[in-house]
Amino acid sequence: MAAGHVLPEKVRKGDAKRERGNRTGFTTGANSAAAATAATLGLAQGEVPAEIECVLPNTMHVTFRITDGRVEGDSAHAVSIKDAGDDPDATDKAHLTADVRRIPNGGGEVILKGGPGVGVVTKPGLGLEVGGPAINPVPRRNICDNVARAGAAILAAGDSLEVTISVPGGEEMAKKTLNARLGILGGISILGTTGIVRPYSTAAFRASVIQAVDVAANQGQTTVVFTTGGRTEKCAMREFPELDEACFVQMGDFVKAAFTTAVRQGMQRIVVGAMVGKLTKIAQGLSVTHAWREEIDRQLIADAATEVGAPSEVVEQIRAAETARFAAESLAELGLTVPFHRALAVRAIRSLRERYPGPHRLTVLACNFEGVPIVTVEESECLTLAA
């Protein structure tokens, strides 16, 4: 999850599949650029406009409404309120705020700073200066480019423009993101490679998974623990207390993104923590395990149940059931919880090994629905079983 984004709420089997809206929105970077452009125009023209046109990183020209605009001497203030569209975004309705100050004889530069509510980078590996604001490279360039256009006359006169982006309430918003795990403290990140947020965008969370693995690798970690959610992560943290917090990455549904990044970074050990449903989908070889993407492979579950000695009538019920949870609960009544989850874990390891080859060692931690460990399976056990 890019920092600043949260996963959509899970769709449970038996629930009506949610209607997914299709209204696009804007990124924190786009709104920051809009506010900065408006404040700069305020300095250039003597009044902050009520709306402005801004160029997004994808070159689209978009009109933004501006609030709370004012000019006071050599400083101007403007706010652009983020509309995330139909994306479930932790920063929706955030007030991206720009304060622009004219610095006489400053050398004709645009200087970008972070204010309250914008996170501060405290760890390497993000492609950002440690100690600096969490304003990613693309939005950083985009903000500066828009300010340079709007303040061209000021810069041509040899004065500089100091732009400070702040986000009231940003520190609270950041608690719903992965920022703290990434070492971004005190606020949200200013993000956006295109300026546009797509409805139920997978891109933002997927990007945050990749970023988290990169951060762990750049800190010298050689093990990464991928989990599918909060409960599995807590379970994994209890099981592997010796590992640094940076090793734990909630990959959500993004198996391929997580594994290809871990392999690219040369991770020596990859651990996966999952419950029965996601474990089954990983064993199926899915790149993305979201409920909207593909159904559970009932035959795979039935085969695992047969393998561990489930009676044929129970196997048939499992084959006909809608969920993997039904299988887990049915087999629990027969005392087969551990062998059943072990069988699924072995299948998951074999699938992951086939799809993501490399020198890394694989481990799967199967958890129950309360986030309690059931069984941990090492890849070496699979090799023994195969032999």
Side-chain angles (χ1 to χ4, degrees), residues 5-53:
H5 283 69
V6 291
L7 276 175
E9 182 185 343
K10 301 286 184 184
V11 174
R12 289 179 169 79
K13 295 285 183 181
D15 292 351
K17 287 192 177 181
R18 264 210 305 274
E19 292 297 318
R20 298 164 70 185
N22 58 9
R23 192 169 63 87
T24 59
F26 297 103
T27 63
T28 49
N31 287 102
S32 296
T37 300
T40 303
L41 287 172
L43 288 179
Q45 301 171 357
E47 184 178 359
V48 175
E51 61 178 38
I52 56 97
E53 184 179 87

Side-chain angles (χ1 to χ4, degrees), residues 224 226 259 262-263 267-272 360-363:
V224 65
F226 292 129
F259 267 79
V263 171
M267 287 292 176
Q268 296 173 18
R269 186 187 188 196
I270 304 175
V271 181
V272 175
H360 56 273
R361 179 163 58 97
L362 287 167
T363 303

